[in-house]
Amino acid sequence: MTHTPTDRPATRAGGALVPVLAFTGIVVAVMQTLLVPVVKDLPQLLSTEPGNATWVITSTLLSGAVTTPVAGRLGDLYGKRRMLVLSLTAMVVGALVSALTSDLLTMVAGRTLQGFAMSAIPLGIGLMRDTLPREKLGSAMALMSSSMGVGGSLALPAAALVAQHTDWHALFYGAAGLGVLCIVLTLLVVPESPTLAQGTFDVLGAIGLSAGLVLFLLPITKGSDWGWASGTTLGLFAASAVVLVLWGVMELRLKAPLVDLRTTASPAVLLTNLASIMVGFSFLVVSLVLPQLLQLPESTGYGLGESMVVAGVLMAPLGLTMMFTTPVYARLSAKYGPKVTLILGMLLIAIGYGAGLGLMNAPWQSLVITVILGPGIGLAYSSLPALIIGAVPASETGAAGGLNTLMRSIGAAVSSAVIGMVLANTANDVNGVAVPTMQGFRVSFLIATGAMATGLLIALFLPRARPPHDARRRLPDRPELTNAAERSLPL
């Protein structure tokens, strides 16, 4: 195993490191909501059935979920910067493939490659951990973690504007251009991590985890189309359980597993990951509900009759407030710890959705909802990586961060399935078209409030987290770390 030079200082990173990594995180997150403005038109645009068109969205979700923990472990072993550039390259190739086709299968292939870039967020957090001094680490990780939500929110108005006035393929050309810019900036500004783990890559573990995740997420994303009680859905869930159990048994027997399940099972990591599922679930609800409510015609009696672009603009404060919450999080976390900021963020999310039950009657009320939810989601997202990194050794930050991002993705996938089912089952048939009802919107917000109540209960049992710079005290128990890795921790 080749390691970085022992004299490489942790503070070598320049002042542009954090903005570049955060910008990269925002660009990567755009892939999740890039097609939201045209999702209802995809069957016509791709000349296919509505059920088939959903694969354009599902494929990105699945590939992102599968590759994130794998890329995190590869980053720990061979360099996080290297894996970041590779994941961005896959995104650019996928965007160009999608830009040049209107064929369903080719489009799905391109969208699958775009999902690979989701690993950039945990890799970026790991790079910050490995290269920044501790006084800059808290706010930097908060900004990087929040970029997942910021990018998804800010993409809505921009993508809507492009889709409304140009050919929809321009969305992919724009994504490819942004990806190339991120690669160039990363190569120019971001140093390679001086902290590398020893060992080999667990190929069988990667295959087992990937298979288990696909078998689990596939029926979640397609269950409403196939039927939740259908043999296909239940069979895939059962197969997923078997594969993941066998994978877990195998991982526990390996000296260098893909995921250290013993570390993952510790209360701090386990409870943080469970809370992450709840946060990921709740974040997506507002993105699924408000744009539809805003764009429904006023003739329905409750629709707000706004255009695609106006709806996107009204959703933008969600991402902006998340971004502006980052410095507030840094101060609160430094004083009270990330557990307290996570709880505070979840409280704000619960309040936002609770208040939203009665704030669906005018466009300005959507702004109120997003301005409450944004800071809450920002605080919650910012707290999660600090809790994880404070609980794992430096050599496992990539894999542990990737697993935490995966938990948020699982929460989002479950949210999409549950809210989609609620809106479908409460919809009215208007001239052969299923139109969501106000009842469905309110039930969706009520479910999101319940998810946050569950997350709050989980967060209350979290042990008090040690800050990331305390990791050195645990290094004597981690013989696989090199002296170079020990000296490079941001202390």
Side-chain angles (χ1 to χ4, degrees):
M1 179 80 199
T2 302
H3 292 275
T4 55
T6 59
D7 59 349
R8 188 173 192 172
T11 56
R12 176 183 172 182
L17 172 73
V18 174
V20 166
L21 289 176
F23 175 70
T24 299
I26 290 172
V27 169
V28 164
V30 165
M31 296 303 105
Q32 291 186 316
T33 54
L34 184 68
L35 293 180
V36 167
V38 298
V39 67
K40 65 181 184 300
D41 302 318
L42 284 176
Q44 180 182 355
L45 295 171
L46 297 173
S47 302
T48 188
E49 298 296 323
N52 295 332
T54 60
W55 282 104
V56 176
I57 308 295
T58 302
S59 59
T60 306
L61 171 68
L62 288 175
S63 64
V66 168
T67 58
T68 294
V70 173
R73 180 57 180 165
L74 286 170
D76 287 338
L77 288 170
Y78 305 115
K80 300 179 181 71
R81 176 179 179 261
R82 178 179 300 173
M83 289 308 304
L84 175 59
V85 171
L86 288 175
S87 66
L88 289 171
T89 301
M91 185 192 82
V92 171
V93 172
L96 291 175
V97 168
S98 297
L100 296 170
T101 186
S102 293
D103 174 72
L104 175 65
L105 292 179
T106 309
M107 180 66 68
V108 168
R111 291 287 291 164
T112 300
L113 287 172
Q114 290 167 57
F116 287 12
M118 285 309 300
S119 59
I121 293 174
L123 288 169
I125 292 173
L127 280 164
M128 290 174 175
R129 157 69 185 268
D130 294 344
T131 58
L132 291 176
R134 70 177 187 181
E135 64 269 15
K136 296 182 179 180
L137 186 57
S139 60
M141 288 196 308
L143 183 60
M144 190 68 192
S145 181
S146 297
S147 68
M148 192 172 183
V150 172
S153 299
L154 296 183
L156 290 173
L161 187 63
V162 171
Q164 187 165 298
H165 296 288
T166 67
D167 180 78
W168 68 291
H169 290 93
L171 294 170
F172 297 113
Y173 285 115
L178 289 172
V180 170
L181 178 60
C182 288
I183 292 172
V184 172
L185 291 175
T186 298
L187 292 174
L188 291 175
V189 173
V190 180
E192 183 56 272
S193 170
T195 303
L196 295 178
Q198 288 185 332
T200 57
F201 181 67
D202 178 14
V203 177
L204 287 179
I207 294 173
L209 179 61
S210 300
L213 288 174
V214 170
L215 290 171
F216 175 69
L217 290 173
L218 196 55
I220 284 180
T221 54
K222 300 294 293 182
S224 57
D225 296 329
W226 296 340
W228 292 104
S230 69
T232 301
T233 301
L234 296 178
L236 287 173
F237 277 132
S240 171
V242 171
V243 170
L244 289 176
V245 167
L246 292 175
W247 170 79
V249 171
M250 180 183 70
E251 291 294 282
L252 289 171
R253 295 179 176 178
L254 296 177
K255 293 182 178 180
L258 178 71
V259 178
D260 189 339
L261 293 180
R262 292 181 177 85
T263 299
T264 304
S266 67
V269 178
L270 177 62
L271 294 176
T272 300
N273 283 333
L274 291 176
S276 298
I277 295 175
M278 297 297 106
V279 174
F281 183 103
S282 294
F283 167 67
L284 195 63
V285 174
V286 66
S287 300
L288 294 172
V289 169
L290 285 188
Q292 294 193 68
L293 174 64
L294 287 164
Q295 293 182 70
L296 281 176
E298 294 179 351
S299 59
T300 59
Y302 51 88
L304 301 179
E306 301 295 341
S307 69
M308 183 191 302
V309 174
V310 171
V313 170
L314 290 172
M315 289 294 295
L318 185 68
L320 292 173
T321 51
M322 288 178 64
M323 186 182 301
F324 295 144
T325 302
T326 300
V328 177
Y329 159 79
R331 289 192 289 269
L332 290 175
S333 181
K335 187 172 183 179
Y336 302 107
K339 174 182 176 179
V340 172
T341 55
L342 175 62
I343 291 172
L344 178 59
M346 287 181 161
L347 279 172
L348 285 174
I349 297 172
I351 291 170
Y353 279 117
L357 292 171
L359 292 174
M360 295 187 180
N361 302 314
W364 67 266
Q365 294 178 357
S366 298
L367 287 175
V368 175
I369 295 172
T370 56
V371 168
I372 296 173
L373 288 176
I377 297 171
L379 285 174
Y381 267 27
S382 299
S383 304
L384 296 172
L387 288 165
I388 289 293
I389 287 182
V392 302
S395 65
E396 296 178 14
T397 54
L403 187 64
N404 184 251
T405 302
L406 169 63
M407 294 300 107
R408 287 189 250 176
S409 298
I410 288 175
V414 174
S415 176
S416 177
V418 171
I419 302 307
M421 181 174 60
V422 167
L423 295 180
N425 290 340
T426 57
N428 289 329
D429 187 278
V430 179
N431 298 324
V433 178
V435 178
T437 62
M438 182 61 79
Q439 177 193 1
F441 293 144
R442 289 194 170 123
V443 170
S444 299
F445 270 30
L446 193 61
I447 291 172
T449 306
M452 272 302 89
T454 304
L456 276 168
L457 183 62
I458 293 170
L460 289 173
F461 289 94
L462 276 167
R464 184 175 180 179
R466 286 176 290 186
H469 56 274
D470 283 351
R472 179 182 288 176
R473 298 172 189 170
R474 301 191 297 279
L475 287 175
D477 297 324
R478 308 296 303 183
E480 73 272 17
L481 290 180
T482 65
N483 291 332
E486 182 175 355
R487 283 196 291 272
S488 69
L489 287 175
L491 291 172

